[in-house]
Amino acid sequence: MLHLASKSPRRRELLARLGLDFGILEVDVPEQRAPGESPEDYVARVAREKAGAGLLRVVAVSGAVVLGSDTEVVLDDEVFGKPADAAEAEAMLRRLSGRTHRVLTAVSLVSAGREARVLVASEVAFAALSDADIADYAASGEPMGRAGAYAIQGGAERFVTRLAGSYSGVMGLPLHETASLLREFGIHARTPRADGGA
Ligand SMILES: Cc1cn([C@H]2C[C@H](O)[C@@H](COP(=O)(O)OP(=O)(O)OP(=O)(O)O)O2)c(=O)[nH]c1=O
């Protein structure tokens, strides 16, 4: 049985697009970059820790497979996680304005005695944002709970002038790469039925 170790409604929605049945494990893992840790190592470690924390809860269930994932926005080697408040969201958006940043999403798939992982990097270019754009977007509440203080699948879509990479990866779970990892564990994605049935 597959379990998603995540509190994120986006990841739940994205994984459901692979037409799979899965359980949810709400895990809490501290997200703090260690001194000298590269953005890539950091995002991979946090994904692995989320999956590992989930596996501890279901390890007694034979055949349990747990997926953990982490997304961070990286600008000039600086990592932007989720903003603490609207002021921090505005500061992040001001930094991203008129620049190209990277979005890293790591996925870790674990079972008793086995781990597989992938790291997906995408490039996102933002138009120059006016003070009014930034204030309006921060006031919408959408930046909260999102790496880099924006949602490409929401109001920030209009800020994006170019995307190179994985759209679902920017949203929080790269579906192509996740489907490949799952296949290694004998779990096969399929297209959900158009009538809404899984
Ligand atoms: C860049 C970007 C991020 N995000 C979200 C995806 C993630 O939910 C969040 C990054 O934070 P994460 O720490 O990766 O995930 P989370 O805390 O929301 O959920 P969990 O750890 O329980 O799995 O930012 C978007 O929804 N859209 C975007 O365009």
Side-chain angles (χ1 to χ4, degrees):
M1 165 83 174
L2 176 65
H3 298 267
L4 173 65
S6 175
K7 295 195 297 281
S8 160
R10 268 89 50 189
R11 295 217 164 94
R12 209 171 294 183
E13 188 217 314
L14 286 163
L15 189 59
R17 292 186 199 176
L18 297 183
L20 303 165
D21 283 332
F22 58 91
I24 301 288
L25 299 167
E26 298 212 347
V27 297
D28 256 316
V29 164
E31 297 190 19
Q32 187 121 44
R33 190 175 167 197
E37 190 173 37
S38 72
E40 288 81 1
D41 287 350
Y42 170 54
V43 74
R45 175 175 62 79
V46 173
R48 205 166 57 242
E49 287 178 1
K50 288 178 185 176
L55 187 63
L56 281 179
R57 305 245 295 269
V58 290
V59 76
V61 184
S62 118
V65 176
V66 180
L67 190 157
S69 181
D70 190 61
T71 300
E72 307 287 342
V73 163
V74 183
L75 182 73
D76 300 334
D77 205 47
E78 199 180 323
V79 172
F80 294 174
K82 293 164 281 195
D85 52 31
E88 197 185 354
E90 287 200 22
M92 287 183 185
L93 292 164
R94 221 169 286 125
R95 297 280 310 281
L96 298 176
S97 170
R99 303 277 315 270
T100 297
H101 62 268
R102 289 190 304 146
V103 181
L104 301 180
T105 295
V107 182
S108 171
L109 203 58
V110 296
S111 65
R114 188 158 173 212
E115 196 216 345
R117 58 174 115 157
V118 70
L119 178 68
V120 175
S122 301
E123 273 190 9
V124 178
F126 266 27
L129 309 179
S130 68
D131 290 346
D133 283 335
I134 290 171
D136 167 72
Y137 189 59
S140 74
E142 198 173 271
M144 302 315 295
R146 288 177 163 124
Y150 76 91
I152 198 168
Q153 73 277 26
E157 192 161 11
R158 74 179 194 276
F159 303 153
V160 174
T161 55
R162 191 177 64 89
L163 162 69
S166 167
Y167 180 81
S168 52
V170 175
M171 262 184 80
L173 190 68
L175 289 182
H176 171 72
E177 293 80 2
T178 298
S180 300
L181 276 190
L182 287 165
R183 208 176 307 125
E184 290 179 30
F185 281 69
I187 299 171
H188 296 275
R190 64 191 189 99
T191 308
R193 298 300 100 187
D195 63 8

mmCIF file of all heavy atoms in Angstrom, residues 40-41 44-45 47-48 68 106-110 114-120 177 181 184-185:
data_model
loop_
_atom_site.group_PDB
_atom_site.id
_atom_site.type_symbol
_atom_site.label_atom_id
_atom_site.label_comp_id
_atom_site.label_asym_id
_atom_site.label_seq_id
_atom_site.Cartn_x
_atom_site.Cartn_y
_atom_site.Cartn_z
ATOM 1 N N GLU A 40 20.569 21.566 -3.207
ATOM 2 C CA GLU A 40 20.197 20.233 -3.706
ATOM 3 C C GLU A 40 20.220 19.191 -2.582
ATOM 4 O O GLU A 40 19.309 18.380 -2.441
ATOM 5 C CB GLU A 40 21.150 19.787 -4.821
ATOM 6 C CG GLU A 40 20.978 20.506 -6.145
ATOM 7 C CD GLU A 40 21.655 21.874 -6.195
ATOM 8 O OE1 GLU A 40 22.299 22.295 -5.184
ATOM 9 O OE2 GLU A 40 21.543 22.541 -7.247
ATOM 10 N N ASP A 41 21.324 19.216 -1.793
ATOM 11 C CA ASP A 41 21.432 18.260 -0.684
ATOM 12 C C ASP A 41 20.325 18.503 0.343
ATOM 13 O O ASP A 41 19.768 17.575 0.921
ATOM 14 C CB ASP A 41 22.797 18.379 0.017
ATOM 15 C CG ASP A 41 23.914 17.801 -0.830
ATOM 16 O OD1 ASP A 41 23.625 17.153 -1.855
ATOM 17 O OD2 ASP A 41 25.092 18.010 -0.473
ATOM 18 N N ALA A 44 16.860 17.290 -0.913
ATOM 19 C CA ALA A 44 16.852 15.813 -0.943
ATOM 20 C C ALA A 44 16.778 15.243 0.471
ATOM 21 O O ALA A 44 16.057 14.271 0.729
ATOM 22 C CB ALA A 44 18.108 15.302 -1.651
ATOM 23 N N ARG A 45 17.511 15.877 1.393
ATOM 24 C CA ARG A 45 17.499 15.382 2.781
ATOM 25 C C ARG A 45 16.111 15.539 3.405
ATOM 26 O O ARG A 45 15.592 14.613 4.059
ATOM 27 C CB ARG A 45 18.538 16.157 3.617
ATOM 28 C CG ARG A 45 18.501 15.786 5.098
ATOM 29 C CD ARG A 45 19.603 16.463 5.888
ATOM 30 N NE ARG A 45 19.553 17.912 5.901
ATOM 31 C CZ ARG A 45 18.731 18.639 6.681
ATOM 32 N NH1 ARG A 45 17.907 18.046 7.513
ATOM 33 N NH2 ARG A 45 18.762 19.963 6.632
ATOM 34 N N ALA A 47 13.198 15.705 1.927
ATOM 35 C CA ALA A 47 12.260 14.738 1.317
ATOM 36 C C ALA A 47 12.454 13.353 1.938
ATOM 37 O O ALA A 47 11.488 12.643 2.250
ATOM 38 C CB ALA A 47 12.473 14.681 -0.196
ATOM 39 N N ARG A 48 13.733 12.985 2.118
ATOM 40 C CA ARG A 48 14.047 11.663 2.686
ATOM 41 C C ARG A 48 13.567 11.583 4.136
ATOM 42 O O ARG A 48 13.036 10.572 4.575
ATOM 43 C CB ARG A 48 15.553 11.447 2.607
ATOM 44 C CG ARG A 48 15.977 10.001 2.583
ATOM 45 C CD ARG A 48 17.438 9.858 2.170
ATOM 46 N NE ARG A 48 18.342 10.598 3.023
ATOM 47 C CZ ARG A 48 19.129 11.594 2.625
ATOM 48 N NH1 ARG A 48 19.142 11.975 1.370
ATOM 49 N NH2 ARG A 48 19.929 12.216 3.468
ATOM 50 N N GLY A 68 7.806 10.809 0.255
ATOM 51 C CA GLY A 68 8.006 12.122 0.864
ATOM 52 C C GLY A 68 8.575 13.062 -0.175
ATOM 53 O O GLY A 68 9.283 12.629 -1.093
ATOM 54 N N ALA A 106 12.428 17.525 -4.532
ATOM 55 C CA ALA A 106 12.985 16.192 -4.326
ATOM 56 C C ALA A 106 11.852 15.251 -3.937
ATOM 57 O O ALA A 106 10.931 15.637 -3.224
ATOM 58 C CB ALA A 106 14.034 16.216 -3.220
ATOM 59 N N VAL A 107 11.945 14.031 -4.440
ATOM 60 C CA VAL A 107 10.973 12.996 -4.087
ATOM 61 C C VAL A 107 11.753 11.802 -3.572
ATOM 62 O O VAL A 107 12.756 11.398 -4.180
ATOM 63 C CB VAL A 107 10.126 12.565 -5.311
ATOM 64 C CG1 VAL A 107 9.087 11.513 -4.913
ATOM 65 C CG2 VAL A 107 9.447 13.764 -5.951
ATOM 66 N N SER A 108 11.305 11.266 -2.456
ATOM 67 C CA SER A 108 11.942 10.086 -1.882
ATOM 68 C C SER A 108 10.870 9.025 -1.670
ATOM 69 O O SER A 108 9.804 9.301 -1.129
ATOM 70 C CB SER A 108 12.586 10.477 -0.545
ATOM 71 O OG SER A 108 13.039 9.343 0.132
ATOM 72 N N LEU A 109 11.170 7.832 -2.128
ATOM 73 C CA LEU A 109 10.226 6.717 -2.001
ATOM 74 C C LEU A 109 10.923 5.644 -1.177
ATOM 75 O O LEU A 109 12.023 5.206 -1.543
ATOM 76 C CB LEU A 109 9.907 6.204 -3.403
ATOM 77 C CG LEU A 109 8.610 5.456 -3.620
ATOM 78 C CD1 LEU A 109 7.411 6.303 -3.219
ATOM 79 C CD2 LEU A 109 8.475 5.076 -5.090
ATOM 80 N N VAL A 110 10.317 5.269 -0.061
ATOM 81 C CA VAL A 110 10.974 4.298 0.814
ATOM 82 C C VAL A 110 10.027 3.165 1.185
ATOM 83 O O VAL A 110 8.811 3.340 1.274
ATOM 84 C CB VAL A 110 11.512 4.947 2.126
ATOM 85 C CG1 VAL A 110 12.595 5.968 1.841
ATOM 86 C CG2 VAL A 110 10.402 5.553 2.947
ATOM 87 N N ARG A 114 14.508 -0.335 1.434
ATOM 88 C CA ARG A 114 14.739 0.161 0.075
ATOM 89 C C ARG A 114 14.423 1.657 -0.039
ATOM 90 O O ARG A 114 13.465 2.124 0.581
ATOM 91 C CB ARG A 114 13.823 -0.617 -0.864
ATOM 92 C CG ARG A 114 14.096 -0.339 -2.303
ATOM 93 C CD ARG A 114 13.591 -1.460 -3.180
ATOM 94 N NE ARG A 114 13.740 -1.049 -4.556
ATOM 95 C CZ ARG A 114 12.941 -1.417 -5.541
ATOM 96 N NH1 ARG A 114 11.938 -2.244 -5.291
ATOM 97 N NH2 ARG A 114 13.143 -1.003 -6.758
ATOM 98 N N GLU A 115 15.228 2.374 -0.812
ATOM 99 C CA GLU A 115 14.932 3.782 -1.065
ATOM 100 C C GLU A 115 15.251 4.134 -2.511
ATOM 101 O O GLU A 115 16.232 3.635 -3.066
ATOM 102 C CB GLU A 115 15.763 4.696 -0.153
ATOM 103 C CG GLU A 115 15.217 6.112 -0.116
ATOM 104 C CD GLU A 115 16.264 7.224 -0.031
ATOM 105 O OE1 GLU A 115 17.427 6.945 0.282
ATOM 106 O OE2 GLU A 115 15.886 8.375 -0.313
ATOM 107 N N ALA A 116 14.402 4.943 -3.110
ATOM 108 C CA ALA A 116 14.693 5.468 -4.445
ATOM 109 C C ALA A 116 14.373 6.954 -4.398
ATOM 110 O O ALA A 116 13.473 7.385 -3.679
ATOM 111 C CB ALA A 116 13.837 4.778 -5.493
ATOM 112 N N ARG A 117 15.135 7.733 -5.140
ATOM 113 C CA ARG A 117 14.883 9.171 -5.061
ATOM 114 C C ARG A 117 15.163 9.873 -6.375
ATOM 115 O O ARG A 117 15.887 9.351 -7.231
ATOM 116 C CB ARG A 117 15.716 9.794 -3.965
ATOM 117 C CG ARG A 117 17.194 9.567 -4.155
ATOM 118 C CD ARG A 117 17.968 10.329 -3.130
ATOM 119 N NE ARG A 117 18.685 9.440 -2.244
ATOM 120 C CZ ARG A 117 19.769 9.811 -1.561
ATOM 121 N NH1 ARG A 117 20.198 11.036 -1.642
ATOM 122 N NH2 ARG A 117 20.397 8.958 -0.814
ATOM 123 N N VAL A 118 14.602 11.062 -6.481
ATOM 124 C CA VAL A 118 14.846 11.871 -7.672
ATOM 125 C C VAL A 118 14.822 13.337 -7.261
ATOM 126 O O VAL A 118 14.140 13.713 -6.290
ATOM 127 C CB VAL A 118 13.792 11.546 -8.769
ATOM 128 C CG1 VAL A 118 12.406 12.035 -8.402
ATOM 129 C CG2 VAL A 118 14.202 12.112 -10.107
ATOM 130 N N LEU A 119 15.595 14.127 -7.977
ATOM 131 C CA LEU A 119 15.605 15.573 -7.742
ATOM 132 C C LEU A 119 15.307 16.251 -9.074
ATOM 133 O O LEU A 119 15.989 15.980 -10.071
ATOM 134 C CB LEU A 119 16.987 16.001 -7.233
ATOM 135 C CG LEU A 119 17.171 17.497 -6.979
ATOM 136 C CD1 LEU A 119 16.337 17.968 -5.803
ATOM 137 C CD2 LEU A 119 18.642 17.802 -6.713
ATOM 138 N N VAL A 120 14.304 17.095 -9.086
ATOM 139 C CA VAL A 120 13.906 17.760 -10.321
ATOM 140 C C VAL A 120 14.110 19.263 -10.159
ATOM 141 O O VAL A 120 13.620 19.865 -9.200
ATOM 142 C CB VAL A 120 12.425 17.450 -10.651
ATOM 143 C CG1 VAL A 120 11.964 18.230 -11.868
ATOM 144 C CG2 VAL A 120 12.263 15.953 -10.894
ATOM 145 N N GLU A 177 8.490 12.088 -13.178
ATOM 146 C CA GLU A 177 9.575 11.442 -12.420
ATOM 147 C C GLU A 177 9.018 10.598 -11.271
ATOM 148 O O GLU A 177 9.558 9.540 -10.941
ATOM 149 C CB GLU A 177 10.538 12.500 -11.883
ATOM 150 C CG GLU A 177 11.332 13.229 -12.967
ATOM 151 C CD GLU A 177 10.551 14.340 -13.673
ATOM 152 O OE1 GLU A 177 9.371 14.587 -13.308
ATOM 153 O OE2 GLU A 177 11.117 14.970 -14.592
ATOM 154 N N LEU A 181 9.588 6.550 -10.521
ATOM 155 C CA LEU A 181 10.044 5.995 -9.237
ATOM 156 C C LEU A 181 9.077 4.926 -8.747
ATOM 157 O O LEU A 181 9.490 3.857 -8.283
ATOM 158 C CB LEU A 181 10.083 7.086 -8.157
ATOM 159 C CG LEU A 181 11.269 8.002 -8.017
ATOM 160 C CD1 LEU A 181 11.133 8.807 -6.725
ATOM 161 C CD2 LEU A 181 12.572 7.227 -8.008
ATOM 162 N N GLU A 184 9.453 1.551 -10.266
ATOM 163 C CA GLU A 184 10.543 0.737 -9.693
ATOM 164 C C GLU A 184 10.054 -0.088 -8.509
ATOM 165 O O GLU A 184 10.650 -1.098 -8.160
ATOM 166 C CB GLU A 184 11.686 1.635 -9.203
ATOM 167 C CG GLU A 184 12.475 2.300 -10.285
ATOM 168 C CD GLU A 184 13.574 3.192 -9.690
ATOM 169 O OE1 GLU A 184 14.085 2.887 -8.607
ATOM 170 O OE2 GLU A 184 13.882 4.213 -10.329
ATOM 171 N N PHE A 185 8.997 0.377 -7.858
ATOM 172 C CA PHE A 185 8.434 -0.341 -6.703
ATOM 173 C C PHE A 185 7.217 -1.180 -7.125
ATOM 174 O O PHE A 185 6.448 -1.638 -6.277
ATOM 175 C CB PHE A 185 8.030 0.647 -5.600
ATOM 176 C CG PHE A 185 9.186 1.143 -4.779
ATOM 177 C CD1 PHE A 185 10.142 1.996 -5.331
ATOM 178 C CD2 PHE A 185 9.332 0.769 -3.455
ATOM 179 C CE1 PHE A 185 11.212 2.456 -4.572
ATOM 180 C CE2 PHE A 185 10.400 1.228 -2.689
ATOM 181 C CZ PHE A 185 11.336 2.071 -3.251
#
